[in-house]
Amino acid sequence: MLWLRLFGRRLEGPWWGVKTAAIGVVLFASLLGSSWGCHIPAIYNFGDSNSDTGSVSATFGRVPSPYGRTFFGKPSGRYSDGRLIIDFIAEKLGFPFLGAYLDSIGPNFRHGTNFAASGSTIQPADAKLFGAGFNPLSLDIQLSQFEQFKERTKDLYNQAESSWVKSSLPKPEEFSKSIYTLDIGQNDLTFALLTTTEEQLRVSIPNIINQFALAIEKLYQDGARTFWIHNTGPIGCLPLFSVKNPPKPVNADQNGCIKSYNLLAQEFNKQLKDKVFQLRSQLQHSLLIYADIYTAKYTLISEAKKQGFVGPLAYCCGHLDGAECWKTSIVNGTEVFADSCNDTSKYISWDGAHYTEAANKWVANRILDGSLSDPPISLTKACHKTDSPN
């Protein structure tokens, strides 16, 4: 999201299909069997504003009020009124909220850390991306940060004489037993939609997916074995696009979302899922779980009123054409202030680009049980026994 504003190869044929299915059942049973009594010691998260818990706030200036008002009662480094999906992931595993790697004030990394930064992309940030308002802390930089974190953790932990120091660091042998979550890609689509044509974006998707795969392979080489990978949400339903620049009737779905944008998100997700399938055969002794965030979010949007929200595309900071959230603007010759809604729990979108805590909680509840995952493993059983080195 923008941060300045706002198991094996596929084999054809009936005989091969039966054989592949049988292998898949055996493999899945093995993975699931190893998950009973699962112990996940830490979370390492990579992503953008959908999971940033303070990287941008610590680096470029504190996220201002009223962000964070619902749960934290003050700005918390999150681009929402409260908790994000990554916060509900941490809660589900019984961990404290993940601190940002870049936050130097009172960090405790015993149960992992967060490298996600709002405005980040899968593609390495270049002058064009940065000039368009996106973050230089792209996925490749986040991976470099993790490598440094891991190496320094080993050094500090092994040299520490104080139990207090050790209690604030992950145990070196637990890196390979931890879960690695990735929620990134939406900004790559956003950047292309803002600067190129839809067809050019479609052509660029394979390259973006390949770069995502390289990141997963790099983490695997660094000892990661369990991956929880989010696909991208229905970008055409973000009020940032669909409300501020309404689609023509022929390009609008039943919710008022931009159909062509959502089709591009679906194509991105299809290619990501195919790539995850390929990686399973390449990365031995690993578990790659593909979580379908798109379906969860689009279901919420389609059932907005049924689920207690005011509407599919309403956003909390007001509906004032041309007015930026929490700023005074001139609209049709009149000075107006785009203030917050009174009840954030009634809105899916917080500011037109990011979800409210209420929406994040709804989506988290739909994905963490594994019903929207491939393979269908719940978060609490998402671990894999391995004898691989740390």
Side-chain angles (χ1 to χ4, degrees), residues 56-76:
V56 162
S57 189
T59 307
F60 298 103
R62 194 177 188 188
V63 176
S65 178
Y67 286 95
R69 79 174 204 194
T70 297
F71 182 81
F72 300 95
K74 59 184 178 181
S76 65

Side-chain angles (χ1 to χ4, degrees), residues 342-375:
N342 292 324
D343 187 354
T344 61
S345 69
K346 299 297 183 183
Y347 291 81
I348 293 174
S349 179
W350 166 242
D351 56 10
H354 307 98
Y355 282 48
T356 61
E357 173 176 292
N360 283 325
K361 184 176 184 179
W362 193 98
V363 172
N365 286 339
R366 298 311 181 280
I367 65 166
L368 298 185
D369 65 357
S371 60
L372 291 178
S373 296
D374 178 10

Side-chain angles (χ1 to χ4, degrees), residues 80-216:
S80 177
D81 63 306
R83 291 166 291 182
L84 309 177
I85 292 174
I86 188 64
D87 294 315
F88 293 110
I89 287 176
E91 286 186 343
K92 186 73 173 179
L93 294 175
F95 298 158
F97 298 137
L98 287 185
Y101 167 73
L102 294 174
D103 192 346
S104 61
I105 306 299
N108 187 311
F109 300 129
R110 179 65 188 88
H111 296 291
T113 190
N114 194 356
F115 302 92
S118 301
S120 295
T121 53
I122 294 171
Q123 303 168 87
D126 57 14
K128 289 183 178 179
L129 275 163
F130 186 69
F134 292 87
N135 199 314
L137 301 175
S138 48
L139 186 55
D140 60 324
I141 300 299
Q142 295 178 30
L143 294 181
S144 295
Q145 291 173 339
F146 170 73
E147 290 176 357
Q148 181 176 189
F149 174 81
K150 184 180 178 183
E151 291 306 312
R152 294 199 65 195
T153 293
K154 286 184 175 181
D155 291 341
L156 289 172
Y157 193 92
N158 292 329
Q159 296 171 8
E161 297 181 359
S162 166
S163 60
W164 180 85
V165 172
K166 287 192 173 184
S167 69
S168 65
L169 294 171
K171 297 178 180 178
E173 67 269 18
E174 291 183 342
F175 278 100
S176 64
K177 302 172 185 176
S178 301
I179 189 168
Y180 292 76
T181 55
L182 296 98
D183 187 349
I184 194 168
Q186 193 162 302
N187 286 325
D188 296 85
L189 303 185
T190 298
F191 170 69
L193 290 171
L194 292 174
T195 60
T196 65
T197 67
E198 292 181 25
E199 183 54 35
Q200 287 174 311
L201 168 55
R202 185 180 298 278
V203 171
S204 72
I205 288 176
N207 180 55
I208 298 172
I209 296 298
N210 284 335
Q211 292 183 68
F212 199 167
L214 288 174
I216 294 174

